[in-house]
Structures are given as C-alpha cells and as structure tokens.
Amino acid sequence: MKERSIWLNAKLGEISREIKPGYPSGKHNSVGNGKLHFRPYNISNEGEVNLTQTKFVPLKNEDYYLKSQDIIFNNTNSPELLGKTCIINKDTDWVYSNHMTRIRLKPRFDPRFYARYLHYLKYTGFYKVNCSNHVNQASIASGFLNQNLEVPICPLPEQRAIVSKIEQLFSELDNGIANLKLAQEQLKVYRQAVLKKAFEGYVKVPFSDLVKSSQNGISKRSGKEGSEFKVLRLADISNLEIDYSSPRCIRLTSSEINKYKLFKDDLVCIRVNGSKNLVGRLIITSKKDDLNNWAFCDHFIRFSLDLSNTVPKYYYYYFQTMEVRQYVHENMVSSAGQNTVSQSTIKSILVPFCSLPEQQVIVQEIETRLSVCDKIEQDIETNLERAEALRQSILKKAFEGKLLNEKELAEVRGAEDWEPAEVLLERIKAEKVGNRKKRKQTTEKQKNIIQEDKGLIQQATLQAFEQIDK
C-alpha cells in the first residue's frame, strides 16, 4: 500500500511573495463608475467569487488590481464569516477593499490549494479563536497571516491533484444540492396546488362577514402596574407558530389583559414587517397558547371569528394561497423599509364560505396532504445539512493528505516536477538566505556610493573655496 508523501508545515509568509490589504473608499457607487471594489460579500460562504452585489470606486493605483491566481482573504467580518477565501481565475482591473487581503504565492505553490486551505480554516473555527475582536466585528491582521499562520507543504503535483479532486467532488455535491433545492421549489408549487383545489367552487364573502371582533395590539413596551404578562412580538413567531424560547413580559393592568389576551382559535395577523412575504400572514393560537397567557403587541391584529359557522384553521390555510398573498401585496403600504396592512384591508379580502362540516373535512384533507409535504421537506433539509457537513469532510480529508487514493498518489509521484516537501522548504530557506545576502550587498553598495558621493562633494567644495581664495 502506497502511503502519502511526508507533509511539512511552514508559515504562510514563507511561501508568499506578497500579503497586502486593500484600500477603503467612501466614494462608491453601484452604477459602474470606476473600478469594481471587491468586498466581503463578493466571496460566497462556499469560497467562490460572487458578483450579485457590486460597488465601484475610484482607482487608487494599479498595484491594487486583482490578477489571475491571486488569493483573496476576508480579513474583517463577523466572527462567523471571518476568513472567507477565494481564488481569482483571470486577470481583472478589479481593486479590493481594506477588509480584504491579497496573497500572492511563490512558484511551486498552487494558489488554488492554499485558497481552499485558508477557507477550510474558517469551517474549523480557527479564525474565530485567533481573531482580534472589535464592536460587532472581528479581524485577522496581515502580520498574523505572515508570521503566525501555518500552512501544509506537500509536492506541487500533489497540490494540483488534491485541488482537482476537491473540484470534482464539489461539482457532484453542488449538483446534488441543486436537485434538492429544485425539489423544495416543486414542493412549494404542490402546496399551492393543494390549497387552490381545496377552496375552488365555493361562494366568496368578505372576511368581515365572518369576523366577530378585531383588535390592533398594545403599543406600550413597559408598565409599572398590574401583573407580569407575556406580550407577543415578531421575534416570537417561527414558522407561523408562537415560539416560547425567549418571551418578553411586561406589567399589564386587568383591563389591558381583558382587551389584549389571546384565546384559542384567535387568528393573529402580522400587521407590519420589513418582509413583504410575512405581512398579512395569519397565526392561529392553540389551546397551549391560551393557557400560557399571551397578549400581543401593535405589530399584530387579532381577529376572533364566529365559531358557530367557521373553522378558524380553514381561513388560516386560505390566507396562505397565492390569491390572498397577491391581494395583500397590492394593498399594503410601504414606508421607510416597513410594510403595513390595515384591519380594513384584511377584512375586505373575499374568502370562500361553506358549511361547518365541509370546512372541517377540507381542513382534514389539506393537513393530510401537507403532512406528506412536511415530511419530504424535513428530509430535504436534513440532506442539505448533510451536504454541507460532507463539504467540510472533503476539505478535512484533503488537508490531512487522505483524499487521494493509491493510484492517484502513484500518478503524482511520477510527475516530472514532483519533489519532496523538504526540498521545497530547503529552496525557500536558500532563497531567504540569498535574498538577505543580496539585500546586504545592495546596502553595502549603496553605502560605498554614498561615501564616494560624499568624497566628491567634499573635493568639489574644497576646489570651490580654493577658487574663491584666488
């Protein structure tokens, strides 16, 4: 059995020609005036170039252009995103911000291999442990990258083969992820088809005809009198259900409790939100919610229906149809990034009406079909999480030297430019010593030139004084 070649470690600075941060610019635009300014959001979480959002800035100088095989490292971000790294695959006239660091490697080191390695360290939490923390941000300095960050050293053909296999496996993985996401989208279509069919063919009436009472939520955020009472906020809503993980309590008087308490089968409408997709959605309160004593804030409207002729869950599902969502979108009011619907807008929605037993049967049929969707969707989410874990596992094996099989290892050892890691390191050391000697020789030469210049100046000065004396 062939074992992998011996790998060694070196500082990133030892194998780099340059480690250089970019420059800031407050004079930016999104319309293409100037040079594309490569920023943290231009690297995806998977370590790929992402230009869906771009800013352009004036050119400082051409030394900041990004060229083919440049490694770009995100040096400032949230602790979770810090260290995103990608490779530039072509010569560009893009420049890069001070939140990015450009790394250019010496020959015999494949930038693609080291870009993948630097990005892999983000997954391991390495940067989170070693960063400098600031207000809401963290950073990794160029000095740390240069002097403290150790990277693996292995033969160049092995670097190339590992990169090639990573890209092959990632391509297969990405195809699988794309298929899973396509299945997610198809499930959304199926859900809408189930809802559309369930409500077809019934007479429609204004929602107001079925509403016994409606009430906007309480606006106060604190109180000194009364009893501690949970008050529902937008933060307490998850998947259109009440989330009990971190409720906020304030003191409410008995009259406020009577006015704002939620009861079983109340329909709570999201009145205002930054997301248009959430505004107008309904939450149905359960018996548990009733017993746990919730009031609701002014971001919601409570609708209590006449239970003698309505099943609230029937209308909870109807409000999820595309027809209702479109009506809400067309009639909401948007201002300062917030979107709002009024009681009158919601009450004006035309809703299907049928007998109480029919409503009960329809709800049961909807839930039977949607429960299958929920199970499939959960399986998809689980597989997407596994795919992300597999991506990290591939990188872990790659940088432990365990990704290539025996045949692949034999092929890289037969490459003309194969040489052991220790030879690569020796060359680095020799170059370092040679560069020191060269710098020393240059310094000595400059000193000699300066001394000669001083002698010439002194001689010229003496001659000038002699001329004056004459």
Side-chain angles (χ1 to χ4, degrees), residues 17-187:
R17 293 186 291 115
E18 175 192 79
I19 297 178
K20 181 178 180 176
Y23 66 92
S25 178
K27 299 178 180 179
H28 57 76
N29 67 88
S30 302
V31 295
N33 294 331
K35 301 297 181 182
L36 188 147
H37 202 219
F38 206 84
R39 298 185 173 203
Y41 49 68
N42 294 129
I43 302 180
S44 72
N45 289 335
E46 292 75 36
E48 305 292 341
V49 173
N50 179 4
L51 299 182
T52 54
Q53 182 180 355
T54 53
K55 296 286 185 184
F56 297 82
V57 300
L59 175 64
K60 186 173 183 179
N61 64 61
E62 294 184 4
D63 289 343
Y64 289 97
Y65 279 163
L66 294 177
K67 299 298 182 183
S68 178
Q69 302 306 296
D70 281 349
I71 297 171
I72 295 296
F73 174 86
N74 177 204
N75 64 48
T76 305
N77 211 320
S78 67
E80 292 73 26
L81 295 177
L82 183 66
K84 292 191 298 179
T85 308
C86 71
I87 191 82
I88 302 297
N89 288 316
K90 62 180 181 179
D91 287 346
T92 74
D93 61 354
W94 305 344
V95 293
Y96 58 106
S97 86
N98 57 316
H99 289 170
M100 316 300 284
T101 301
R102 181 179 68 194
I103 302 164
R104 289 177 169 170
L105 301 183
K106 295 176 179 177
R108 314 288 295 177
F109 298 98
D110 191 324
R112 299 170 303 161
F113 178 86
Y114 289 96
R116 292 286 188 190
Y117 179 72
L118 294 177
H119 191 77
Y120 162 69
L121 290 180
K122 179 182 80 74
Y123 292 132
T124 69
F126 175 83
Y127 302 120
K128 200 171 181 179
V129 171
N130 291 282
C131 66
S132 299
N133 287 295
H134 317 287
V135 179
N136 298 326
Q137 283 194 321
S139 65
I140 293 287
S142 298
F144 180 88
L145 293 175
N146 186 35
Q147 300 167 15
N148 299 91
L149 179 58
E150 288 202 336
V151 294
I153 305 296
C154 63
L156 179 58
E158 197 167 343
Q159 296 172 34
R160 289 196 298 256
I162 288 171
V163 167
S164 178
K165 186 141 189 192
I166 289 173
E167 290 176 350
Q168 174 201 334
L169 294 173
F170 277 12
S171 177
E172 294 170 2
L173 190 60
D174 289 340
N175 285 337
I177 290 171
N179 288 333
L180 288 171
K181 290 183 175 179
L182 176 61
Q184 276 184 324
E185 293 303 312
Q186 290 171 336
L187 276 178

Side-chain angles (χ1 to χ4, degrees), residues 210-225:
L210 311 175
V211 174
K212 186 169 69 175
S213 68
S214 60
Q215 176 66 52
N216 282 16
I218 190 168
S219 59
K220 80 175 191 179
R221 299 296 184 257
S222 63
K224 295 181 180 179
E225 298 179 359

Side-chain angles (χ1 to χ4, degrees), residues 98-344:
N98 57 316
H99 289 170
M100 316 300 284
T101 301
R102 181 179 68 194
I103 302 164
R104 289 177 169 170
L105 301 183
K106 295 176 179 177
R108 314 288 295 177
F109 298 98
D110 191 324
R112 299 170 303 161
F113 178 86
Y114 289 96
R116 292 286 188 190
Y117 179 72
L118 294 177
H119 191 77
Y120 162 69
L121 290 180
K122 179 182 80 74
Y123 292 132
T124 69
F126 175 83
Y127 302 120
K128 200 171 181 179
V129 171
N130 291 282
C131 66
S132 299
N133 287 295
H134 317 287
V135 179
N136 298 326
Q137 283 194 321
S139 65
I140 293 287
S142 298
F144 180 88
L145 293 175
N146 186 35
Q147 300 167 15
N148 299 91
L149 179 58
E150 288 202 336
V151 294
I153 305 296
C154 63
L156 179 58
E158 197 167 343
Q159 296 172 34
R160 289 196 298 256
I162 288 171
V163 167
S164 178
K165 186 141 189 192
I166 289 173
E167 290 176 350
Q168 174 201 334
L169 294 173
F170 277 12
S171 177
E172 294 170 2
L173 190 60
D174 289 340
N175 285 337
I177 290 171
N179 288 333
L180 288 171
K181 290 183 175 179
L182 176 61
Q184 276 184 324
E185 293 303 312
Q186 290 171 336
L187 276 178
K188 290 178 184 177
V189 173
Y190 176 72
R191 282 179 184 278
Q192 283 301 317
V194 168
L195 294 174
K196 183 179 179 183
K197 185 173 178 58
F199 299 111
E200 280 179 342
Y202 292 102
V203 173
K204 289 188 176 181
V205 299
F207 188 53
S208 57
D209 289 0
L210 311 175
V211 174
K212 186 169 69 175
S213 68
S214 60
Q215 176 66 52
N216 282 16
I218 190 168
S219 59
K220 80 175 191 179
R221 299 296 184 257
S222 63
K224 295 181 180 179
E225 298 179 359
S227 307
E228 289 283 328
F229 216 85
K230 291 188 288 294
V231 177
L232 187 68
R233 305 162 298 161
L234 292 169
D236 300 316
I237 302 300
S238 176
N239 296 321
L240 299 184
E241 292 182 351
I242 296 178
D243 182 349
Y244 283 71
S245 59
S246 56
R248 185 191 69 179
C249 293
I250 63 174
R251 290 190 176 277
L252 298 183
T253 64
S254 56
S255 62
E256 287 170 335
I257 291 172
N258 288 335
K259 186 174 183 179
Y260 297 109
K261 184 185 181 309
L262 294 173
F263 293 93
K264 181 179 181 296
D265 289 330
D266 280 344
L267 292 175
V268 183
C269 175
I270 299 175
R271 185 180 71 85
V272 57
N273 197 275
S275 168
K276 291 183 177 182
N277 188 46
L278 287 177
V279 174
R281 298 272 184 188
L282 298 183
I283 297 100
I284 186 166
T285 52
S286 65
K287 184 176 181 181
K288 176 186 174 183
D289 301 330
D290 184 345
L291 294 174
N292 276 275
N293 293 331
W294 285 89
F296 59 105
C297 81
D298 56 352
H299 288 166
F300 300 98
I301 309 166
R302 180 190 62 205
F303 293 98
S304 299
L305 305 188
D306 182 353
L307 299 183
S308 67
N309 62 2
T310 62
V311 176
K313 215 165 205 183
Y314 178 85
Y315 295 98
Y316 162 78
Y317 283 121
Y318 182 69
F319 269 66
Q320 295 179 30
T321 64
M322 288 301 296
E323 187 176 351
V324 172
R325 294 310 305 155
Q326 185 175 347
Y327 183 86
V328 170
H329 275 237
E330 290 172 354
N331 290 278
M332 68 175 62
V333 176
S334 299
S335 177
Q338 293 295 305
N339 310 287
T340 308
V341 289
S342 64
Q343 287 192 38
S344 59

Side-chain angles (χ1 to χ4, degrees), residues 290-447:
D290 184 345
L291 294 174
N292 276 275
N293 293 331
W294 285 89
F296 59 105
C297 81
D298 56 352
H299 288 166
F300 300 98
I301 309 166
R302 180 190 62 205
F303 293 98
S304 299
L305 305 188
D306 182 353
L307 299 183
S308 67
N309 62 2
T310 62
V311 176
K313 215 165 205 183
Y314 178 85
Y315 295 98
Y316 162 78
Y317 283 121
Y318 182 69
F319 269 66
Q320 295 179 30
T321 64
M322 288 301 296
E323 187 176 351
V324 172
R325 294 310 305 155
Q326 185 175 347
Y327 183 86
V328 170
H329 275 237
E330 290 172 354
N331 290 278
M332 68 175 62
V333 176
S334 299
S335 177
Q338 293 295 305
N339 310 287
T340 308
V341 289
S342 64
Q343 287 192 38
S344 59
T345 296
I346 297 300
K347 286 181 177 180
S348 68
I349 295 172
L350 294 176
V351 297
F353 184 75
C354 56
S355 69
L356 202 63
E358 283 180 295
Q359 291 179 41
Q360 292 166 341
V361 169
I362 288 168
V363 167
Q364 187 175 3
E365 288 179 353
I366 288 172
E367 292 187 336
T368 299
R369 286 170 171 77
L370 293 190
S371 66
V372 175
C373 285
D374 292 339
K375 176 64 172 66
I376 295 171
E377 192 156 24
Q378 183 56 53
D379 289 344
I380 291 172
E381 286 294 338
T382 300
N383 284 321
L384 285 171
E385 289 171 8
R386 285 176 180 166
E388 186 55 35
L390 181 57
R391 189 185 301 276
Q392 296 180 34
S393 175
I394 290 168
L395 291 173
K396 185 173 186 291
K397 282 188 174 183
F399 298 116
E400 288 176 348
K402 299 176 181 177
L403 190 63
L404 301 182
N405 59 36
E406 290 183 41
K407 182 181 177 183
E408 290 162 339
L409 283 171
E411 286 176 358
V412 298
R413 286 181 180 177
E416 291 183 3
D417 55 352
W418 189 91
E419 58 184 3
E422 56 266 28
V423 173
L424 278 172
L425 280 182
E426 284 301 321
R427 182 181 286 111
I428 292 171
K429 290 175 183 176
E431 287 174 356
K432 196 172 181 181
V433 171
N435 288 336
R436 277 189 196 144
K437 285 181 179 178
K438 196 178 288 184
R439 282 197 298 271
K440 188 175 179 181
Q441 289 170 356
T442 301
T443 303
E444 289 297 324
K445 189 174 180 180
Q446 287 172 341
K447 283 181 181 178

